[in-house]
Amino acid sequence: MIERMRGSTPVEAGIVSRAMAAAAALARELHLGVDDAVVLHNSNRLALHLLPCGVLARVAPVGQEVAALEVEFALRLGETASPVAALEPGVEPRVYERDGFAVTLWTYYEVVRPELGFPGAYAGVLRRLHAGMRSVEIATPHFLDRAAEAERLVMHRDETPALAETDRHLLLSTLQSARDQIRSRGAAEQLLHGEPHPGNLLSTRDGLLFIDFETCCRGPIEFDVAHVPEEVSTRYPGIDQVLLAECRRLVLAMVAAWRWDIRDEFPDGHQHGRDILSLLRQGPPWPALGALTAE
């Protein structure tokens, strides 16, 4: 799965074994049967499948506040019957600390092949997620705060040294003009997933479920819809198509900016950034980000 469109530094190899040992020891203390731990994903945190108990553990060095936020989201959205991955029901739902690591324990879902009518189902669960989020009050950043972060990154040449000046100018002008156009629409805002692209949606026997709420923010629903494939967005009713186009343009520029961050760990990041810059130069219609993540 793609955990974030913004590249993140994988947990160092020397730390992985310690993190696995900490998660396994914690699980045993909680009376979960653990003989083995399989790494499912390694980005800024580890996703481990604990066996034979079949629990998913997410592990990161202590100090990453996002773990507590994700637990809160899972609990609050679970109360609304929203289509989200659940915490492990057999233990207390909280962030555990063990040997310098923050550990959260989740239900492990076996991924199955999506059923026919997947685009419509995808749009349907995104609508359900948005409906559930409208009843939840949690402090989150504004989506334009993330755009401002990308703009700052582009403005600082020491943080994006490989970015050509013509490309730097293109990204800055795009970020600024898309932001202004979005503000001019005056759309209603609510809590959002932030990155509900295909990499953050699981097809399970329990249906389609969203994961990874570390990018939650507040903004118009069009910002979320900008992350899904075209065939999904056309099935989401009531969308402001002008606003959706500007959100797609903004998201493309943000992702392109991240690809030039000197700290970025996205595979073939510079090539990915160049591909998006070419799309921005070509002009509208802007492709949905979901189409790029699926490639």
Side-chain angles (χ1 to χ4, degrees), residues 1-3 16 20 37-43 45-51 54-58 106-111 202:
M1 71 181 168
I2 299 173
E3 190 161 289
V16 170
M20 294 173 69
V38 178
V39 177
L40 300 178
H41 190 70
N42 181 1
S43 62
R45 59 183 170 175
L46 287 174
L48 305 174
H49 187 196
L50 304 181
L51 298 170
V55 172
L56 178 72
R58 291 183 176 171
W106 302 78
T107 298
Y108 174 80
Y109 297 93
E110 183 180 349
V111 176
L202 295 181

Side-chain angles (χ1 to χ4, degrees), residues 3-85:
E3 190 161 289
R4 291 196 67 184
M5 280 306 296
R6 179 162 189 171
S8 51
T9 304
V11 176
E12 295 179 7
I15 301 177
V16 170
S17 59
R18 291 199 295 112
M20 294 173 69
L26 170 68
R28 293 187 190 104
E29 287 181 2
L30 296 172
H31 307 292
L32 299 172
V34 179
D35 295 327
D36 193 14
V38 178
V39 177
L40 300 178
H41 190 70
N42 181 1
S43 62
N44 57 321
R45 59 183 170 175
L46 287 174
L48 305 174
H49 187 196
L50 304 181
L51 298 170
C53 65
V55 172
L56 178 72
R58 291 183 176 171
V59 190
V62 168
Q64 294 194 7
E65 300 295 334
V66 68
L69 182 63
E70 282 202 289
V71 168
E72 184 177 6
F73 269 118
L75 291 173
R76 300 283 292 279
L77 290 173
E79 293 172 355
T80 70
S82 295
V84 299

Side-chain angles (χ1 to χ4, degrees), residues 17 28 45 78 139 146 166 174 210 226 233 237:
S17 59
R28 293 187 190 104
R45 59 183 170 175
R146 295 173 62 193
T166 54
T174 301
F210 284 101
S233 64

Side-chain angles (χ1 to χ4, degrees), residues 71-118:
V71 168
E72 184 177 6
F73 269 118
L75 291 173
R76 300 283 292 279
L77 290 173
E79 293 172 355
T80 70
S82 295
V84 299
L87 292 155
E88 164 56 35
V91 299
E92 183 182 352
R94 65 179 180 88
V95 180
Y96 294 87
E97 292 189 10
R98 178 67 186 253
D99 300 332
F101 294 96
V103 182
T104 53
L105 300 171
W106 302 78
T107 298
Y108 174 80
Y109 297 93
E110 183 180 349
V111 176
V112 299
R113 188 179 184 85
E115 297 179 357
L116 292 175
F118 175 70

Side-chain angles (χ1 to χ4, degrees), residues 169-215:
H169 177 75
L170 172 63
L171 286 180
L172 284 174
S173 62
T174 301
L175 288 165
Q176 292 165 1
S177 63
R179 177 194 61 204
D180 292 343
Q181 289 297 319
I182 289 169
R183 283 176 172 162
S184 72
R185 302 301 293 179
E189 298 183 348
Q190 67 159 78
L191 192 63
L192 303 174
H193 181 287
E195 287 186 0
H197 55 67
N200 282 335
L201 183 68
L202 295 181
S203 177
T204 77
R205 288 189 171 87
D206 294 329
L208 297 176
L209 300 173
F210 284 101
I211 59 173
D212 295 333
F213 287 85
E214 62 181 318
T215 55

